[in-house]
Amino acid sequence: KTFVEKLMTYKQSLLQIINLYVDSPASVLASGMLLGDSQMSKELTQTFRVAGLSHIVVLSGFNIAILIAVLLLLLKVVPVVIRVVLVIVFVSMFVMMVGGEASVLRATLMAFVSLLALLVGRAYVAYQALLISLLLIILYSPLSLLYDVSLHLSFLATAGIVYTNDGIKIWIAKYVKGSYQEIMSTTLSAYLATLPYVMYTFGAASIYAIIANLLVLVFVPLVMLLTVITVLVSFMSPSVTYIFGYLTTLFSDYIIWVARLIEMLPYASLSVTISYKIMILMYVILGGIYFFFTRYKKDETLVTKNDEIISDVISY
């Protein structure tokens, strides 16, 4: 077997552990979040799509951001050069194991740019990393620029976060206090950046997506962490593993419950078909509204410090 085939075989063994200790359909959601395994039923997939939560069903940039943040934290005592090299190697192996979807590849490439910036002590500018990652993906697969809907959505969502998140956060801070400012601003940035494209491509819009994301996003890292602990503990104490498996099931079921609740709301998914010209016009209008309400010069020289990683740019 090749190295990649061995990684895929190891992935299947991890999936079996998750399925053994986590009840269905929570096990399917947990496997998708952690390992990018897409075995969710059509009915549940549609539920998450209507609720505007499709990006958490499978492995995405958000999950990669969590993974890298955890690795950097665990390796904090290691010298920065070794830390960066180990994280790059581990994440590369992980991406090979789970299979590189567009959002995962983009997030990984952007993360590597930030890690290299950390290594050489240079300023890390989010929009430059976004464009570099897009260019590399296009060089690898030129047709993806025209036909890869997943890449389009991933790029638009991240561009929305990179260019508008700070401005939206300032506006939200007038009405919302606490940690939910970041979640709300990031969600709103990504939602507005992708809405015209979603309406043009799929002929639909999820009007409760922001509410759904606010209710579940804080639990996504927790579900991923509990899933990892469940897998690790299974090699040491099967009886204790059931406890973590139960907790994983509990919080995963909550996310599924929220998705189903949102789906039952009136007008949860509106059928709206727009032309290409209308889509462009919507982006022009949204851009004009953003600049009208923010009116400030964004600092585009975000510096990567030795002990942190810019998570906004790899959130989706």
Side-chain angles (χ1 to χ4, degrees), residues 49-60:
R49 186 192 68 79
V50 171
L53 295 172
S54 297
H55 61 283
I56 72 167
V57 172
V58 295
L59 190 71
S60 65

Side-chain angles (χ1 to χ4, degrees), residues 1-287:
K1 288 184 178 182
T2 65
F3 180 68
V4 175
E5 289 175 337
K6 290 180 179 179
L7 288 176
M8 295 299 292
T9 301
Y10 183 65
K11 173 185 174 181
Q12 292 304 316
S13 65
L14 296 180
L15 290 173
Q16 290 177 2
I17 293 174
I18 295 173
N19 291 331
L20 177 62
Y21 292 101
V22 181
D23 296 338
S24 182
S27 59
V28 179
L29 179 60
S31 299
M33 285 183 180
L34 185 65
L35 299 171
D37 187 60
S38 55
Q39 294 185 357
M40 188 171 286
S41 66
K42 291 182 178 180
E43 176 267 330
L44 197 53
T45 299
Q46 174 68 7
T47 297
F48 274 84
R49 186 192 68 79
V50 171
L53 295 172
S54 297
H55 61 283
I56 72 167
V57 172
V58 295
L59 190 71
S60 65
F62 182 70
N63 310 68
I64 294 294
I66 295 171
L67 174 65
I68 292 175
V70 171
L71 289 173
L72 288 175
L73 179 63
L74 293 176
L75 297 172
K76 193 171 183 178
V77 296
V78 179
V80 64
V81 175
I82 299 177
R83 189 194 323 171
V84 169
V85 171
L86 288 176
V87 171
I88 289 177
V89 170
F90 184 88
V91 173
S92 299
M93 293 173 58
F94 180 78
V95 171
M96 285 189 287
M97 181 177 72
V98 302
E101 295 292 334
S103 60
V104 175
L105 287 175
R106 178 201 50 73
T108 303
L109 289 171
M110 291 190 72
F112 286 175
V113 172
S114 70
L115 289 170
L116 291 175
L118 184 153
L119 185 62
V120 299
R122 297 289 298 276
Y124 171 56
V125 184
Y127 68 82
Q128 291 179 353
L130 176 63
L131 295 177
I132 290 172
S133 64
L134 178 66
L135 177 62
L136 291 175
I137 292 174
I138 293 173
L139 289 175
Y140 175 75
S141 177
L143 292 179
S144 62
L145 179 63
L146 299 175
Y147 304 111
D148 194 334
V149 175
S150 176
L151 176 62
H152 300 163
L153 287 171
S154 177
F155 178 82
L156 286 171
T158 308
I161 294 170
V162 168
Y163 287 101
T164 68
N165 186 41
D166 288 347
I168 290 177
K169 191 188 302 181
I170 291 175
W171 179 74
I172 288 177
K174 300 177 181 179
Y175 310 97
V176 180
K177 304 298 180 183
S179 58
Y180 261 89
Q181 287 181 15
E182 184 68 37
I183 298 174
M184 186 176 293
S185 62
T186 301
T187 301
L188 187 58
S189 300
Y191 176 75
L192 293 177
T194 56
L195 180 60
Y197 182 81
V198 169
M199 294 170 66
Y200 168 71
T201 305
F202 302 108
S206 177
I207 63 175
Y208 300 113
I210 296 176
I211 297 175
N213 278 272
L214 289 176
L215 291 174
V216 306
L217 278 186
V218 292
F219 293 96
V220 173
L222 178 60
V223 170
M224 291 181 62
L225 177 62
L226 288 172
T227 306
V228 170
I229 294 175
T230 300
V231 172
L232 293 177
V233 175
S234 67
F235 295 105
M236 298 176 284
S237 175
S239 57
V240 177
T241 306
Y242 281 105
I243 298 175
F244 290 102
Y246 172 77
L247 293 174
T248 304
T249 301
L250 181 66
F251 289 105
S252 298
D253 281 344
Y254 166 76
I255 294 175
I256 295 172
W257 174 80
V258 169
R260 287 173 171 164
L261 178 64
I262 295 294
E263 184 186 31
M264 292 188 295
L265 295 176
Y267 308 109
S269 182
L270 296 177
S271 296
V272 184
T273 303
I274 62 174
S275 66
Y276 180 80
K277 291 182 179 179
I278 296 298
M279 179 186 71
I280 298 300
L281 179 61
M282 287 183 65
Y283 277 117
V284 172
I285 293 173
L286 286 173

